[in-house]
Amino acid sequence: MDFWSRLLAHTPLASASSRKDFAKDPARRLYRFEKEYSQLLHTWRNSSNLAHDHEAAENIEIRLQELTNLLSDESRRPLPHPCIAFAAAKQVYIPVAKIASSSLNEWIIKEAVLFFASLIESDEEAFVESETFAASLTNLLVRITGANSIRLGADTEARVVELAFNITTKIRLDPGILTAWFKSQSNGSDTRQLDYREKFAGRTQKQDFPLFYLLMDYIHHEGKLGDFARTGLLYIIEATSRSVLLEQWIVESDLSTLMATGLGALYSQLSRKLVIDHPPNDLPPILAFSDYQHPKSNYEVVSSCSFQFQSHLDTFLSHLLFWQDVLNHCRSVEVKSSLLEHFQVIFLQQLLYPSLLESSDVDGGSSVAVLTYLRRILESLDHPDMINLILHYLLGLPDIVGSVNPDSEDVVSAARKRKSLDLATMMASKGEAAADPLLFNLVDLILACLRSQNNQTVYVTLQLVSVILKRHHRYAVITLLYTEGVLGESLHRTSGAHHQEVEYLISLAGSVGGQDNFDEVYDNILKDTLVRLENHPCSIKLVTPRISAQTHKLPAVPDTLPGAPREVRSHTLHPSDPLLNIILDRLETFFLNPVDTNLALTEAIFDLAACGFMHLEGWFLRSPLNYVYEEEDDSPPLPEPPPDPESEEYIEYKQMQSMRESRRRPRWIQSSLPRLLRVLQSLCDQVAVYRETVPRFDDLLQQRREAFQIADCASQPLPLHPPRNTAPVSQPSAATTATPTADRTTLFSDEGRNISRERPSGLEGFAQRILSELGTPTRSGSPRGRKEAKQTPSDRSTDTPFRPPPPQPSNRSFSPGTSPAPSSTLPTPSGPAPWDDSSNTTADAFASQAKASQAIDQSILARRVGIPDVSCSTAAAAAEKLVGQPIALSFDSRQRTAGGVSDADEKLAAAEEEAQAHEGGGEDALLAPSEDGEGSERGEDGFEGEGGGEPGTPSGGGGAGERGTVSVSHALTNVIVLQAFLFELASLVQVRAGLFDEVRFA
């Protein structure tokens, strides 16, 4: 009508400039605001039911939108602001809140929320401080989010929670605003008259602080909605330090109960049975080149890489991290104590510990599930009180009475005591006897699971052990490990013994063989080891510069709960430690173990020796008490006769004598070595037997290195171990995970499904094609084979030191002295064969031999081998006991006759046919074990599958099959892992010597 009236009166329509002038004029803005407001009230009063009167509802929505736009526009303009002043004077928010709460229309509710948000953001007229404004907005929020309200859309719900968050931001900046939103209406007499169940449920609390409970309802949500709710609640809890009344109210409220029960509900949603797996198209290369088999999952046993499981786990860990954030922001000791009490009673005692106690590794993976959940919990948390509460309870440490004065008359302390009594009464009313960790604690469970026959149970248990050793070492020293105190530095190894032991470990790694640039490999491992040791939690006191040590002390661990272990002191591991010996038992079957188990096993051994307060002498290295020296050595003699004891030269003489003694190398007595070194020596001896018994072992080993490098380049940035999710997936904070060597054994992925072993997919098929290509050796004049491009430092994965580097031409090669005999006798394509002058015949002959060589390699890789018996007098006898007579391969051209087929050709043809029979439509024989049983019986080629390992089932890990055998391909991958681990141990000993000053030079 305004348009037609202007047209009939010959009044020019408003131009763009006139509209801008209208917006700049405060009086005209106010006139329009009042007009829109009056039309809003008129429409509302004339409509009997907005839920059914769609025209009126649409009109009200438009009017609210216009009012919001005017307020937002005015708040950005210079003073005066008459519209905002009118809204405050006339309290226009009261009818707006009533209209929105009674409309049952989401569009009206959304515009009303935006209207209130514009008033709060204006920072004028003290809307947030007004009790009338707070009451109107609180009533609106309660009505639209209550049980009887309409279901709001995600966008509207996010705006509601964001509005509540904006209010908590104002409260945080100005604590005086709190009185308008928080009204404690209950008194002590009323509380005492209520039943304990009603008090525990917090039925009288919501009316005191509705904004608090509104945020509590949304803390479990993901995305922006949950972020606003959790942060707003943290701001309110942070305000308890400035309001005793609020502090008492929160202690008496059901905040602790709701948070603990919510966490328990999320934990209960996690699957009770779990198998660790990878998506078929994202299988790490180090597992693809092994006997890894995907475990089976069903409706009861869930795969770790399923999307639903990952979603549930992420939600649980995010809520657990919210607990940590609450404790970090809360400055009230009583609120913290109440939260931790409920965490222990409701979550630890009622859920987590019973699930550990009832777990089993024979019912489809319940031990795998609960141990994985516990590991992720300990990885995610870094708050000392939560860590102390979890490990103190699960490890069965004795309880210590708290430091709070029981006679304290503080009202907040009295409120917390009442709340604790209510909690104990509620738990007692259930009539259930809680399990006691003093009878069966986490240490008992770990030791039992490490002895399990289920490979996945062993794998996740080793991961849990590594987390405890790496992140919470002071708890392991007094519970998980059998340690002894060490006083003084007299038991430190001498410099001569130190150099001798480092050289011994490096020589063990060199005996494995290979043609890579091991100088560069070892240098990179040294750098990684240095960073890992520096970031160990126990290292800060040893590596921090000792400046003004007499007047300044390093800060102690900020524990507020009683019963936390004392700071770690110098100690060593007793050789009879049960955990150490179980791990070494697993290490003895290294080549039969699944590759992922070996990665977790080597990680646990490294973490055992990573603490700066842990002395290596006695259980890892030789004890100085057992050093035996030769009567004569090659050290330069000291001057004789010695100087006068009273002279100054005598002091220098004694120092030189002491330094000379420390440089002497003790006799290397094999029988007196610690068990760890003896096991490592035995594994290297087994590699030597494999080299003598497995045909073309060195060639196949080098091809495996090149296959790793090719797979790494083709699948970058795919690491050998997918990252956690961490986490992280709720992840640990950056302050506690600064090491570049991330968790090497985290195997969670995004999705998963069962696959058939008949048709490999993804990286498995790629691995087989790589092995197929590398199975045809390129015969060159150099014994090192092909040259690859030099790997840059940026290409090296810091996720695990077990990634094989690219082969490098180097003057240094740890070759055991055995040359790849068959490779040098093959004809090269550079010229015609000596037995044929025709180039076509030569090409055909070379292609035929190359194809036959590939078939032989595939046949060798698919064969089954066990653990060699290295106790025999000679390696040949041990080899004969392992696999019988080696395959006789002959490529001598003189055996070829003009009119017939030689024995070598017959063997090549037979090997080719056998390999094709193993292929099954592809190169599946490269990774899959023999299905026809020939691998366990002596065949024409002399292989025999007698192994020394115990029979076991793969259980998804791809370990030893029946009769304790694995494929040659699997053993080759474990050989490469062993060599990298030996370099790791050598670097560990070398870095510790300089970082922790462990070597005696005098």
Side-chain angles (χ1 to χ4, degrees):
M1 295 299 294
D2 185 61
F3 170 78
W4 293 108
S5 62
R6 288 177 178 272
L7 185 61
L8 293 174
H10 302 285
T11 304
L13 298 177
S15 61
S17 59
S18 63
R19 285 195 297 268
K20 292 181 180 180
D21 295 338
F22 173 85
K24 293 179 180 178
D25 187 357
R28 300 178 70 179
R29 276 203 315 269
L30 177 60
Y31 170 78
R32 186 179 175 186
F33 187 85
E34 292 177 350
K35 181 179 178 181
E36 296 289 345
Y37 176 62
S38 62
Q39 290 180 358
L40 172 69
L41 295 180
H42 177 76
T43 305
W44 175 48
R45 289 166 181 167
N46 291 335
S47 177
S48 59
N49 191 347
L50 291 177
H52 298 87
D53 192 348
H54 300 291
E55 183 179 355
E58 184 178 359
N59 193 4
I60 288 178
E61 177 191 348
I62 295 175
R63 301 307 169 192
L64 282 174
Q65 187 176 8
E66 289 294 332
L67 292 176
T68 303
N69 292 338
L70 287 170
L71 291 175
S72 300
D73 180 72
E74 185 177 76
S75 63
R76 293 190 296 266
R77 297 186 178 276
L79 295 174
H81 294 162
C83 296
I84 297 176
F86 175 82
K90 298 298 183 178
Q91 296 182 343
V92 298
Y93 43 79
I94 295 179
V96 169
K98 292 180 179 179
I99 293 172
S101 59
S102 61
S103 66
L104 300 179
N105 186 297
E106 183 177 356
W107 299 105
I108 295 178
I109 292 174
K110 183 177 180 180
E111 293 300 331
V113 170
L114 294 175
F115 176 81
F116 275 95
S118 62
L119 292 178
I120 294 176
E121 292 173 0
S122 64
D123 291 329
E124 297 181 41
E125 303 297 337
F127 287 104
V128 185
E129 300 176 12
S130 171
E131 296 184 4
T132 306
F133 179 85
S136 299
L137 180 54
T138 298
N139 180 68
L140 171 63
L141 296 179
V142 171
R143 292 286 298 274
I144 64 179
T145 58
N148 298 325
S149 177
I150 65 172
R151 184 176 181 85
L152 300 178
D155 183 64
T156 305
E157 212 169 21
R159 293 184 182 275
V160 171
V161 179
E162 184 179 2
L163 177 61
F165 166 75
N166 291 337
I167 297 171
T168 61
T169 303
K170 302 289 185 182
I171 295 175
R172 186 191 187 198
L173 298 176
D174 185 5
I177 300 175
L178 182 63
T179 56
W181 300 89
F182 167 61
K183 301 283 186 181
S184 181
Q185 301 175 4
S186 60
N187 52 50
S189 60
D190 295 336
T191 303
R192 287 191 293 270
Q193 293 173 1
L194 293 175
D195 184 75
Y196 76 90
R197 294 185 181 88
E198 296 181 352
K199 291 187 293 181
F200 188 81
R203 296 180 180 178
T204 62
Q205 303 294 330
K206 290 189 176 181
Q207 58 184 349
D208 297 344
F209 205 171
L211 187 66
F212 180 86
Y213 282 91
L214 171 67
L215 296 172
M216 280 291 300
D217 291 338
Y218 290 96
I219 61 175
H220 304 295
H221 287 67
E222 293 300 318
K224 182 172 64 174
L225 191 66
D227 293 339
F228 279 131
R230 288 187 288 268
T231 308
L233 195 63
L234 291 178
Y235 288 165
I236 293 178
I237 294 176
E238 199 176 67
T240 56
S241 60
R242 291 165 289 187
S243 174
V244 177
L245 188 62
L246 177 62
E247 181 183 8
Q248 180 183 356
W249 182 87
I250 289 182
V251 169
E252 294 180 336
S253 71
D254 53 350
L255 168 68
S256 304
T257 307
L258 292 175
M259 289 185 60
T261 54
L263 183 65
L266 294 176
Y267 182 78
S268 300
Q269 289 182 357
L270 299 176
S271 175
R272 297 189 62 183
K273 296 181 180 180
L274 181 71
V275 289
I276 307 300
D277 197 10
H278 308 269
N281 59 348
D282 197 20
L283 188 65
I286 200 167
L287 298 183
F289 292 108
S290 70
D291 292 346
Y292 180 82
Q293 297 180 10
H294 293 274
K296 296 181 180 180
S297 60
N298 50 44
Y299 69 94
E300 186 179 10
V301 182
V302 178
S303 172
S304 64
C305 56
S306 67
F307 176 79
Q308 183 179 11
F309 169 76
Q310 284 293 322
S311 177
H312 287 165
L313 183 62
D314 291 346
T315 303
F316 168 74
L317 293 177
S318 64
H319 191 66
L320 188 68
L321 288 179
F322 174 67
W323 270 83
Q324 181 171 267
D325 292 337
V326 170
L327 295 176
N328 287 330
H329 282 75
C330 181
R331 295 180 175 85
S332 170
V333 176
E334 302 298 340
V335 173
K336 285 184 179 180
S337 300
S338 178
L339 287 169
L340 293 173
E341 284 178 359
H342 286 74
F343 180 82
Q344 176 175 351
V345 173
I346 296 178
F347 179 68
L348 289 182
Q349 296 182 7
Q350 301 296 320
L351 288 173
L352 184 59
Y353 178 71
S355 67
L356 292 171
L357 188 64
E358 298 167 3
S359 64
S360 172
D361 64 347
V362 296
D363 62 348
S366 61
S367 291
V368 176
V370 296
L371 291 174
T372 300
Y373 303 150
L374 179 58
R375 175 182 65 85
R376 297 301 299 274
I377 289 173
L378 295 178
E379 282 179 340
S380 302
L381 295 177
D382 55 13
H383 193 280
D385 288 343
M386 294 192 74
I387 294 297
N388 180 35
L389 199 64
I390 295 173
L391 293 179
H392 187 278
Y393 179 76
L394 295 181
L395 294 173
L397 296 177
D399 294 329
I400 298 180
V401 181
S403 59
V404 179
N405 185 7
D407 299 329
S408 175
E409 299 297 332
D410 184 77
V411 292
V412 181
S413 299
R416 189 186 67 80
K417 293 176 184 177
R418 290 196 301 269
K419 190 67 177 179
S420 300
L421 181 61
D422 293 341
L423 178 64
T425 306
M426 188 193 73
M427 293 293 106
S429 65
K430 292 186 176 182
E432 298 178 359
D436 191 357
L438 294 177
L439 301 177
F440 186 83
N441 56 36
L442 183 59
V443 176
D444 302 322
L445 179 63
I446 288 175
L447 296 179
C449 289
L450 286 178
R451 297 187 181 97
S452 171
Q453 295 298 318
N454 188 301
N455 288 326
Q456 290 221 335
T457 301
V458 176
Y459 170 68
V460 297
T461 307
L462 288 170
Q463 285 186 311
L464 176 61
V465 169
S466 290
V467 170
I468 296 176
L469 293 175
K470 189 162 33 183
R471 295 175 58 88
H472 317 293
H473 187 76
R474 60 185 182 138
Y475 291 90
V477 170
I478 60 176
T479 56
L480 190 59
L481 305 178
Y482 178 19
T483 60
E484 297 177 340
V486 176
L487 300 178
E489 300 180 356
S490 59
L491 294 181
H492 279 165
R493 57 191 179 276
T494 62
S495 61
H498 166 74
H499 291 296
Q500 191 179 28
E501 287 158 345
V502 171
E503 292 173 2
Y504 174 72
L505 291 172
I506 293 181
S507 67
L508 289 181
S511 67
V512 175
Q515 287 83 39
D516 291 341
N517 186 355
F518 288 106
D519 290 324
E520 181 180 354
V521 171
Y522 186 65
D523 181 64
N524 290 326
I525 293 178
L526 279 173
K527 296 176 183 177
D528 291 342
T529 302
L530 176 62
V531 176
R532 294 177 67 181
L533 294 183
E534 287 179 338
N535 286 277
H536 193 278
C538 296
S539 298
I540 184 173
K541 297 186 66 176
L542 297 172
V543 301
T544 302
R546 303 174 183 274
I547 302 176
S548 303
Q550 292 77 11
T551 57
H552 297 84
K553 294 183 178 180
L554 290 173
V557 179
D559 294 308
T560 59
L561 289 180
R566 66 182 185 181
E567 297 179 3
V568 181
R569 302 178 182 179
S570 295
H571 62 281
T572 188
L573 194 61
H574 198 278
S576 63
D577 175 64
L579 177 65
L580 173 65
N581 285 280
I582 294 176
I583 289 178
L584 294 181
D585 290 341
R586 293 287 176 180
L587 191 65
E588 289 180 340
T589 60
F590 191 85
F591 299 112
L592 299 186
N593 295 339
V595 175
D596 49 1
T597 299
N598 281 339
L599 295 179
L601 188 67
T602 54
E603 178 80 1
I605 295 175
F606 186 96
D607 292 329
L608 272 174
C611 176
F613 292 99
M614 170 71 78
H615 288 238
L616 305 183
E617 292 79 9
W619 67 275
F620 185 165
L621 305 176
R622 296 170 299 172
S623 173
L625 300 178
N626 299 329
Y627 288 168
V628 177
Y629 295 96
E630 300 288 350
E631 296 181 359
E632 297 181 358
D633 54 21
D634 298 333
S635 303
L638 293 174
E640 292 184 3
D644 183 10
E646 302 297 332
S647 64
E648 295 181 359
E649 290 79 5
Y650 185 77
I651 300 177
E652 182 179 354
Y653 173 82
K654 295 298 292 183
Q655 291 177 348
M656 293 178 60
Q657 186 181 27
S658 178
M659 293 175 63
R660 179 179 179 275
E661 291 293 327
S662 66
R663 285 197 296 266
R664 296 179 62 190
R665 298 196 172 195
R667 289 176 52 192
W668 193 265
I669 305 175
Q670 192 72 20
S671 59
S672 64
L673 296 180
R675 186 187 175 192
L676 175 58
L677 294 182
R678 296 200 306 270
V679 172
L680 294 175
Q681 177 67 66
S682 175
L683 294 178
C684 293
D685 293 341
Q686 294 173 25
V687 175
V689 177
Y690 285 141
R691 176 173 287 105
E692 295 188 10
T693 56
V694 176
R696 293 177 27 78
F697 179 85
D698 288 321
D699 279 352
L700 294 175
L701 186 62
Q702 187 62 27
Q703 290 170 13
R704 180 56 49 87
R705 297 179 191 276
E706 297 175 8
F708 273 131
Q709 180 59 25
I710 295 174
D712 182 35
C713 296
S715 60
Q716 281 189 0
L718 177 69
L720 293 186
H721 294 282
R724 344 191 215 173
N725 341 6
T726 3
V729 177
S730 179
Q731 298 291 344
S733 63
T736 59
T737 57
T739 174
T741 52
D743 183 10
R744 305 183 303 170
T745 53
T746 299
L747 293 175
F748 285 143
S749 302
D750 295 334
E751 60 183 8
R753 61 180 183 271
N754 293 331
I755 68 166
S756 171
R757 297 299 299 172
E758 297 178 359
R759 296 188 61 185
S761 61
L763 191 54
E764 291 176 90
F766 173 76
Q768 296 175 12
R769 292 194 299 272
I770 291 299
L771 286 178
S772 176
E773 296 173 1
L774 293 176
T776 305
T778 56
R779 312 300 189 219
S780 63
S782 172
R784 303 183 187 278
R786 299 192 297 270
K787 295 183 179 180
E788 299 288 345
K790 185 175 181 180
Q791 184 183 24
T792 61
S794 61
D795 293 331
R796 296 184 66 257
S797 170
T798 56
D799 185 53
T800 169
F802 293 128
R803 183 188 305 282
Q808 300 282 348
S810 171
N811 293 328
R812 176 181 179 183
S813 174
F814 294 120
S815 176
T818 59
S819 60
S823 63
S824 60
T825 59
L826 279 177
T828 63
S830 59
W835 62 81
D836 198 338
D837 295 335
S838 172
S839 60
N840 293 333
T841 305
T842 303
D844 294 341
F846 177 77
S848 175
Q849 294 219 11
K851 185 176 181 180
S853 176
Q854 175 183 345
I856 291 177
D857 283 354
Q858 293 177 2
S859 177
I860 295 172
L861 291 171
R863 288 295 184 172
R864 315 287 300 185
V865 294
I867 298 180
D869 186 1
V870 297
S871 61
C872 299
S873 58
T874 63
E880 183 176 358
K881 185 175 182 180
L882 170 66
V883 294
Q885 296 298 326
I887 299 177
L889 299 179
S890 176
F891 295 93
D892 191 353
S893 60
R894 291 174 295 181
Q895 293 182 358
R896 180 180 297 272
T897 61
V901 181
S902 66
D903 294 338
D905 292 333
E906 293 179 355
K907 290 186 178 181
L908 291 176
E912 180 179 357
E913 293 176 359
E914 183 180 359
Q916 291 176 352
H918 280 290
E919 287 178 359
E923 291 88 3
D924 193 53
L926 297 179
L927 295 180
S930 298
E931 302 292 342
D932 55 2
E934 293 183 5
S936 59
E937 299 177 1
R938 188 188 304 272
E940 181 183 355
D941 52 12
F943 269 100
E944 185 179 20
E946 296 180 3
E950 297 181 0
T953 58
S955 302
E962 295 182 0
R963 291 179 293 278
T965 61
V966 293
S967 68
V968 174
S969 177
H970 183 91
L972 287 173
T973 299
N974 276 332
V975 168
I976 294 178
V977 173
L978 173 65
Q979 187 179 50
F981 177 54
L982 291 170
F983 280 128
E984 245 190 341
L985 293 183
S987 68
L988 175 67
V989 176
Q990 184 172 346
V991 171
R992 284 181 58 102
L995 190 63
F996 303 135
D997 194 18
E998 291 185 331
V999 176
R1000 290 188 288 116
F1001 293 92

